[in-house]
Amino acid sequence: SARASVPDLMSMLRNDLLEEGMKNPYLGLVNRLDQPVEGILLVAFNEKAAADLSRQVADHIHMEKWYQALVCGKPSAKSGTLVDYLLKDARNNLSKVVPEGTRGSKRSELTYEVLESWEDQTLLKIRLLTGRHHQIRVQLANAGIPIVGDAKYNFKETMTRSGNGLLLCSYKIGFKHPKTHKKMEFEIRNPFLI
């Protein structure tokens, strides 16, 4: 199925608000997803809320971002933490794992838990603790469990395509409401219908 691009999605939201009678609606995109990644996008309807939510995204404490990924193979443990140093190559739109201390690299951390496992594939639940360029894709590939359908970082996909899109979904997000400070959570159930 075709996915709407972020600009198209924002245009659709703006048009809906205009049709509801709102004049000159404000829309602030709070989180971003890499183009092939599906999932939840958070949009603020005023500048104050956008600023508060953006601070929560940056601190990775109040804003919890959870993903599911179908990977090739099995991780060495049922749950764990991956810590790597990533260097972004903007010219080629890639990132790679480099030794700690490499100039321009950034510490990258995520936790994972096995949800289900089959002979040659595993469904993971991932909590992103930092937000780096292609972080989940790069760290999982470096750990030897690349994401199914990832033609950038999964060597098998670059040789013979599986026919699947990138099986990575931002399926759950939690944050404090900017005004009430109440804990809010939104979740997509069974994002891959496996």
Side-chain angles (χ1 to χ4, degrees), residues 100-164:
E100 182 179 355
T102 300
R103 186 176 176 189
S105 67
K106 294 184 177 177
R107 185 178 187 280
S108 305
E109 183 176 2
L110 61 81
T111 63
Y112 71 86
E113 176 186 331
V114 172
L115 293 177
E116 205 162 338
S117 192
W118 298 272
E119 191 173 310
D120 59 349
Q121 293 181 334
T122 304
L123 182 63
L124 298 178
K125 176 170 94 172
I126 298 155
R127 178 165 180 210
L128 203 52
L129 299 174
T130 54
R132 310 296 181 214
H133 179 256
H134 294 173
Q135 178 182 337
I136 296 171
R137 298 165 69 183
V138 176
Q139 287 195 275
L140 293 179
N142 185 65
I145 46 171
I147 300 172
V148 172
D150 191 348
K152 265 189 200 273
Y153 298 104
N154 185 340
F155 178 70
K156 293 175 190 171
E157 295 290 341
T158 60
M159 299 302 289
T160 55
R161 299 288 174 115
S162 68
N164 295 310

Side-chain angles (χ1 to χ4, degrees), residues 9-22 25:
L9 180 63
M10 296 299 275
S11 293
M12 288 187 292
L13 282 171
R14 185 175 308 283
N15 289 341
D16 285 348
L17 293 173
L18 288 169
E19 283 178 18
E20 289 174 12
M22 191 181 285

Side-chain angles (χ1 to χ4, degrees), residues 56 60-66 127-128 172-175 183 185:
Q56 290 185 52
H60 294 280
I61 297 167
H62 296 103
M63 177 84 61
E64 294 183 7
K65 294 188 277 186
W66 297 87
R127 178 165 180 210
L128 203 52
K172 185 176 175 183
I173 193 163
F175 58 93
K183 177 78 173 178
E185 276 193 358

Side-chain angles (χ1 to χ4, degrees), residues 71-122:
V71 299
C72 297
K74 295 179 183 175
S76 56
K78 293 280 187 195
S79 63
T81 300
L82 298 179
V83 177
D84 295 294
Y85 288 81
L86 301 188
L87 183 64
K88 182 178 177 181
D89 175 358
R91 188 180 346 200
N92 295 308
N93 192 30
L94 293 167
S95 287
K96 63 182 178 179
V97 173
V98 296
E100 182 179 355
T102 300
R103 186 176 176 189
S105 67
K106 294 184 177 177
R107 185 178 187 280
S108 305
E109 183 176 2
L110 61 81
T111 63
Y112 71 86
E113 176 186 331
V114 172
L115 293 177
E116 205 162 338
S117 192
W118 298 272
E119 191 173 310
D120 59 349
Q121 293 181 334
T122 304

